[in-house]
Amino acid sequence: MRLEVRRWDGSGERTVAALRARLESEGYSVFCWTDAPHAHYDAHAHANDESIWLVSGAITFGTDAGDFALAPGDRLMLPAGTRHTADAGPEGATYLIGEKR
């Protein structure tokens, strides 16, 4: 996996159920998370590869490779061990987190 954003192309449904099904079909363990407006997460890393799929709101992930701002439907591919921060937008953010174990 490489660090990248996959922008929403408008195909398929952008619902929690539809995106969860797509992630699970790719072998991810999935849970849904909602951040309050302007929520902030300090720099950290995860032990597993993750795919973060934004359902609503906005969120920006900061990494050594730059900032990755997600709009609804966008998907961040986050390799294991990538140090990152996260900042939810003014309306908060709801997203699915898919983890590969």
Side-chain angles (χ1 to χ4, degrees):
M1 170 183 287
R2 68 183 182 94
L3 179 62
E4 66 176 318
V5 172
R6 296 181 182 170
R7 299 290 175 201
W8 182 251
D9 64 6
S11 65
E13 291 183 66
R14 199 181 72 220
T15 63
V16 169
L19 299 179
R20 177 187 298 272
R22 288 176 65 177
L23 284 168
E24 288 174 345
S25 74
E26 295 174 12
Y28 289 94
S29 172
V30 182
F31 63 96
C32 187
W33 191 261
T34 299
D35 288 326
H38 304 290
H40 170 76
Y41 296 92
D42 290 332
H44 63 283
H46 302 279
N48 301 309
D49 287 343
E50 291 188 351
S51 179
I52 300 164
W53 215 330
L54 187 64
V55 178
S56 64
I59 191 164
T60 299
F61 292 88
T63 72
D64 289 342
D67 291 342
F68 296 88
L70 303 183
D74 291 345
R75 184 177 179 186
L76 177 67
M77 307 306 288
L78 190 64
T82 303
R83 289 191 53 76
H84 61 283
T85 60
D87 291 283
E91 297 177 10
T94 296
Y95 47 98
L96 295 173
I97 300 173
E99 295 180 320
K100 285 263 178 123
R101 298 191 187 261

